[in-house]
């Protein structure tokens, strides 16, 4: 079974509303999908209580109507509210609102299949504009940035963990910024832009942090203004002074 998109769920609810009751065959014909896929789609929508079954026909529900109308209005907050009634959606959202996790960790924590987790993440991509995929982890980024000392503490922890081994034969004092950023963002649930903002604030505070670019022959050249954008992270290095 492949995961369903938000659009497919909207389409089946639209069809049920328009026909005032549909069969598997109706969905198969109207949506130009095979019988197995039509059956799976109806079962998924029924499980989410967007439609209900009565004999061989499926009908819309109050929740399904609210779902469809919210989508048509582009009301993502209302759509999120409706989808929160679906326990797996609420469970996944609750977990990634607290910490960054991998797909495997989500499966383990929720007892959902990989397909179910992927479908819910697809829904969250539409309903939550702060959904982030970072490395192999997924999370909902924080609305408020952390305190500077908390950011610095996590930055130092990540930096010194990475500095224990050298990279490509280079000094282990210089760590590529993107590698540090990913781990810090996962820990604090930050976006790359958030990381850049916090790093700027940290440098402005006088913290013992140096940023460098990679020059000729792998020499590390200090930045004059010590500020970089996320698009440059892969070409820049960070060094924390003792």
């Amino acid at each position: 079974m492949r995961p369903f998109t938000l659009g497919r769920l909207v389409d089946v609810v639209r069809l049920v509303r328009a026909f005032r009751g549909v069969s598997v065959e109706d969905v198969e014909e109207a949506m130009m999908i095979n019988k197995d896929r039509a059956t799976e789609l109806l079962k998924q929508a029924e499980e989410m209580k967007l439609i209900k079954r009565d004999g061989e026909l499926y009908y819309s529900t109050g929740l399904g109507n609210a779902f469809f109308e919210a989508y048509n209005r582009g009301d993502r907050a209302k759509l999120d509210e409706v989808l929160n009634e679906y326990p797996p959606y609420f469970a996944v959202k609750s977990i990634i609102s607290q910490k960054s996790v991998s797909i495997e960790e989500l499966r383990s924590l929720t007892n959902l299949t990989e397909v179910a987790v992927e479908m819910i993440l697809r829904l969250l991509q539409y309903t939550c504009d702060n959904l982030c995929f970072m490395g192999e982890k997924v999370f909902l980024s924080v609305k408020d940035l952390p305190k500077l000392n908390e950011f610095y503490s996590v930055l130092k922890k990540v930096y010194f963990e990475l500095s224990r081994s050298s990279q490509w034969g280079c000094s282990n004092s210089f760590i590529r910024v993107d590698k540090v950023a990913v781990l810090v963002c996962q820990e604090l649930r930050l976006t790359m832009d958030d990381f850049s903002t916090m790093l700027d604030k940290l440098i402005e505070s006088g913290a013992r942090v140096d940023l460098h670019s990679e020059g000729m022959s792998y020499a590390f050249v200090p930045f004059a203004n010590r500020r970089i954008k996320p698009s440059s992270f892969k070409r820049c290095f960070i060094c924390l002074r003792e």
Side-chain angles (χ1 to χ4, degrees), residues 26-242:
D26 292 330
V27 173
E28 182 183 356
E29 181 179 351
M31 298 182 68
M32 294 183 289
I33 54 179
N34 63 42
K35 186 174 183 178
D36 288 344
R37 190 63 172 167
T39 301
E40 290 172 354
L41 180 55
L42 287 166
K43 284 183 177 179
Q44 181 62 60
E46 183 183 17
E47 182 183 322
M48 297 172 73
K49 294 183 169 49
L50 302 178
I51 61 175
K52 61 184 178 182
R53 184 176 181 177
D54 185 1
E56 295 300 313
L57 297 179
Y58 293 83
Y59 300 88
S60 187
T61 63
L63 196 66
N65 290 334
F67 168 82
F68 182 76
E69 290 161 7
Y71 178 82
N72 273 353
R73 293 194 308 270
D75 188 343
R76 298 200 298 176
K78 180 62 178 178
L79 197 58
D80 179 56
E81 180 185 320
V82 170
L83 290 171
N84 276 331
E85 297 296 319
Y86 181 46
Y89 176 93
F90 184 77
V92 169
K93 181 183 169 185
S94 297
I95 291 168
I96 63 176
S97 294
Q98 300 173 51
K99 60 182 179 179
S100 63
V101 290
S102 66
I103 301 298
E104 283 301 314
E105 288 170 329
L106 271 178
R107 288 181 59 190
S108 175
L109 291 168
T110 60
N111 292 318
L112 295 172
T113 65
E114 185 174 349
V115 169
V117 168
E118 186 176 337
M119 185 196 74
I120 291 166
L121 291 177
R122 288 184 178 189
L123 297 177
L124 285 164
Q125 279 184 300
Y126 183 85
T127 58
C128 299
D129 58 9
N130 60 331
L131 182 69
C132 292
F133 292 91
M134 192 82 63
E136 296 182 353
K137 300 290 185 76
V138 59
F139 56 89
L140 291 176
S141 64
V142 294
K143 300 294 186 182
D144 300 314
L145 295 180
K147 293 181 178 179
L148 199 57
N149 61 346
E150 182 184 4
F151 175 79
Y152 194 21
S153 176
V154 173
L155 178 69
K156 286 192 290 187
K157 183 187 76 170
V158 168
Y159 172 83
F160 287 114
E161 284 176 355
L162 291 175
S163 69
R164 292 194 184 105
S165 60
S166 61
Q167 300 179 358
W168 317 292
C170 300
S171 168
N172 60 5
S173 296
F174 296 91
I175 310 297
R176 236 172 59 189
V177 174
D178 64 307
K179 293 183 177 294
V180 174
V182 166
L183 296 177
V184 171
C185 287
Q186 289 175 349
E187 178 82 13
L188 296 174
R189 293 193 294 119
L190 302 175
T191 66
M192 282 294 181
D193 284 336
D194 290 338
F195 177 87
S196 183
T197 297
M198 293 301 300
L199 188 59
D200 285 347
K201 289 182 178 180
L202 186 63
I203 290 171
E204 288 172 359
S205 74
R208 300 173 68 82
V209 178
D210 288 328
L211 297 177
H212 301 257
S213 65
E214 188 179 74
M216 297 295 291
S217 302
Y218 298 100
F220 295 100
V221 183
F223 278 93
N225 61 10
R226 305 173 78 198
R227 290 188 178 186
I228 52 175
K229 296 180 179 180
S231 58
S232 301
F233 283 176
K234 286 186 178 181
R235 302 189 302 276
C236 302
F237 294 77
I238 189 170
C239 178
L240 300 190
R241 290 171 281 138
E242 296 292 343

